Every structure is written in structure tokens, then in C-alpha cells.
Amino acid sequence: MNPRLKTASQLVGVAVVMASLSFAAVPFYDWFCRVTGFGGTTATAAQAPDTILERKMTIRFDASLEAGMPWQFKPAQRSMQVRIGETGLAFYEAYNPTDRPVAGTASYNVTPDAAGGYFTKIDCFCFTQQVLQPGERVMMPVTFFIDPQIVTDREGKFVREITLSYTFHTTDLPEEHAAAEPQTPAPVAN
């Protein structure tokens, strides 16, 4: 085989492998973060564990909006204390001050990063898209617990305070809500 053709074939092969790996990187990174709690990614569970420790953890709540999101969004309380393993329930308040329905989804994380894999959500408004009608105000719950395994983790055992942060992002309205949006009347021709 011609050395130039062989080199060209190898370079094309390398490019194909690199492109394939780049597409696999996003789902792999997402899986890695969910499994390890890396980057403050939280875990999910169907229920809290049976073990509840005496040690308490302070949970702080934070809320923000992406640029252009017209809602008002805030935690109903700034902090609470829960025992490790105990089910906690917190609420966030959202208000749509506009004259149109607005849809949003919440992204979230916890800090410090060492707590990410141990902060476990049972149920959360962040699992689904939220649609608020004009002038609608809602209280949105999040049910969670701190996994007791945090006390045996090399870094997690030093965590005494966790901050749960949400950012709401504007998303497209589902079709059933988009059809109900008020339409601007067409100009009448004389």
C-alpha cells in the first residue's frame, strides 16, 4: 500500500474515533456525575433509608433565574436542619407576573461537591417542566434526605452544611398550553 494512502487512512480512522468519543462524552459525563455526585450532582431514590443518625446537617436553599426568565422565584425558607437519613421537605415559591403562560425547567446542584452523591432527592419539582399561567403563584416541593454513608466518606464526613441551588430556565410551552396563549388580532383591512 502506498505510504501516503496508508497515512491518510490512519488519519481518517483517528478522526472517526475522535468524533465518536466526543458524542459519547456527554452521556458518559452525565452518568459519571449522577453515580459519583461529581460537580454537586444529586442522587435520587424512592424513599429515605431506615437509618437516621443523631447528627444534624444544615441545608441552605438558593434560587436564581436565567437571563430573560420573567418569573419571580425564591425559597420559602432560607435554611433548615435535618438529621442525616431523615426525610426533609422544603418549598420554593414561583410567580408568573406576565400576561401569558410561561414554561420553565429547573437545573440544580449542591455545594460542597463532596455532598453531591449523598444529597438524595425523593421527589422534586425539578424532575418535570413547570407551566405557570398569567399571575399564577405556586409552592413547589422538594423531598430529600442526606445519605448516612456521608459520615464514612473521606471528604463527606467533614461536611456540616449543604446548599441546594436551583436555576429556572425558560422552555417552550407544551402544545396544550401554546394553543391557549392569547393571540394578537390581525389588522382589519378597510
Side-chain angles (χ1 to χ4, degrees):
M1 178 181 250
N2 180 340
R4 286 185 179 179
L5 186 57
K6 184 178 177 182
T7 302
S9 296
Q10 289 174 336
L11 288 174
V12 167
V14 167
V16 168
V17 168
M18 296 292 282
S20 299
L21 289 175
S22 71
F23 283 105
V26 172
F28 178 74
Y29 181 75
D30 180 58
W31 169 82
F32 176 78
C33 290
R34 281 185 283 116
V35 168
T36 64
F38 182 77
T41 303
T42 63
T44 59
Q47 64 185 30
D50 293 331
T51 305
I52 298 175
L53 306 179
E54 287 303 313
R55 182 173 147 200
K56 291 186 176 183
M57 186 82 64
T58 299
I59 311 299
R60 299 202 180 284
F61 303 101
D62 181 52
S64 64
L65 300 166
E66 81 169 335
M69 172 53 134
W71 288 0
Q72 295 171 9
F73 177 58
K74 65 182 181 180
Q77 64 186 87
R78 291 287 173 197
S79 67
M80 70 169 44
Q81 284 207 329
V82 295
R83 291 177 19 205
I84 295 174
E86 176 182 38
T87 300
L89 175 62
F91 290 90
Y92 281 76
E93 181 180 332
Y95 171 64
N96 177 5
T98 71
D99 61 354
R100 61 185 169 77
V102 177
T105 55
S107 60
Y108 54 87
N109 72 348
V110 298
T111 53
D113 289 350
Y118 301 102
F119 189 96
T120 306
K121 293 180 184 176
I122 297 170
D123 196 18
C124 182
F125 61 88
C126 60
F127 294 162
T128 59
Q129 181 185 56
Q130 304 296 317
V131 177
L132 296 185
Q133 297 302 315
E136 185 177 13
R137 182 180 308 272
V138 295
M139 297 299 283
M140 299 182 292
V142 56
T143 308
F144 63 92
F145 65 90
I146 309 303
D147 188 322
Q149 293 298 313
I150 196 169
V151 300
T152 61
D153 182 79
R154 185 167 47 103
E155 295 176 21
K157 65 184 174 186
F158 299 110
V159 174
R160 299 286 183 258
E161 183 176 291
I162 296 174
T163 301
L164 174 62
S165 299
Y166 288 99
T167 301
F168 252 105
H169 307 270
T170 306
T171 54
D172 292 334
L173 281 170
E175 286 187 32
E176 67 269 12
H177 292 283
E181 262 193 276
Q183 302 294 319
T184 305
V188 179
N190 290 347

